[in-house]
Amino acid sequence: MEISIKSLDTIREAAREFISHIGEARVFAFYGKMGAGKTTFVKAICEELGCTDVITSPTFAIVNEYTTQQTPIYHFDFYRIKKLEEVYDMGYEEYFYSGALCLIEWPELIEDILPDDAVRVTIEEQPDGSRLVRY
């Protein structure tokens, strides 16, 4: 599946399209270079799911929890992880296998413990400044 985000003006539309294809999947791993738009897209997804919390990158907290009427959303940012033991210590299994929606940035650093059914999502900036979301 591919979704094009032409500009910030169309990101909510792209998030709605993404959500319409979530199905039963619960864990989404977002890959992309620094500045590709991972956090911005995750924020749009959360807003489209009805989250009214302030949505920010959990770079220092590692995980932020957002509430919606349907389910909690856990937003991870593993950019600052130095050792996999840090993820074990935070109790990642309680999040990943909770049935809640888990949106993970910088999953490259925890590949060995991602659930087998995690959906891998790549966001790439295109030459014209648009973003291409593939999963």
Side-chain angles (χ1 to χ4, degrees), residues 109-126:
L109 303 172
I110 62 153
E111 282 289 336
D112 293 343
I113 60 172
L114 277 176
D116 291 338
D117 61 351
V119 177
R120 283 149 172 87
V121 181
T122 303
I123 301 177
E124 296 177 328
E125 184 174 6
Q126 302 302 295

Side-chain angles (χ1 to χ4, degrees), residues 1-132:
M1 172 67 66
E2 289 187 355
I3 300 171
S4 178
I5 305 171
K6 302 211 183 315
S7 70
L8 281 177
D9 293 337
T10 64
I11 197 164
R12 297 283 297 261
E13 181 181 315
R16 281 191 297 274
E17 184 175 348
F18 182 84
I19 292 165
S20 74
H21 293 98
I22 282 179
E24 298 299 313
R26 297 286 97 196
V27 179
F28 293 86
F30 290 86
Y31 297 82
K33 293 179 181 178
M34 183 76 69
K38 296 179 298 292
T39 301
T40 304
F41 191 56
V42 166
K43 180 179 179 185
I45 291 168
C46 292
E47 289 170 347
E48 286 300 313
L49 288 170
C51 178
T52 58
D53 299 325
V54 175
I55 301 161
T56 59
S57 178
T59 301
F60 294 99
I62 300 175
V63 62
N64 287 342
E65 179 178 353
Y66 309 124
T67 55
T68 70
Q69 290 184 358
Q70 295 119 5
T71 182
I73 299 171
Y74 297 114
H75 177 198
F76 298 87
D77 184 334
F78 290 116
Y79 182 75
R80 300 180 62 80
I81 292 296
K82 301 283 187 258
K83 298 181 293 187
L84 205 50
E85 286 75 24
E86 294 176 63
V87 184
Y88 291 129
D89 291 346
M90 70 175 280
Y92 79 94
E93 292 169 316
E94 292 179 36
Y95 296 103
F96 289 3
Y97 300 101
S98 67
L101 191 60
C102 294
L103 307 174
I104 304 167
E105 295 186 51
W106 299 103
E108 298 88 341
L109 303 172
I110 62 153
E111 282 289 336
D112 293 343
I113 60 172
L114 277 176
D116 291 338
D117 61 351
V119 177
R120 283 149 172 87
V121 181
T122 303
I123 301 177
E124 296 177 328
E125 184 174 6
Q126 302 302 295
D128 65 358
S130 67
R131 304 303 198 263
L132 188 61

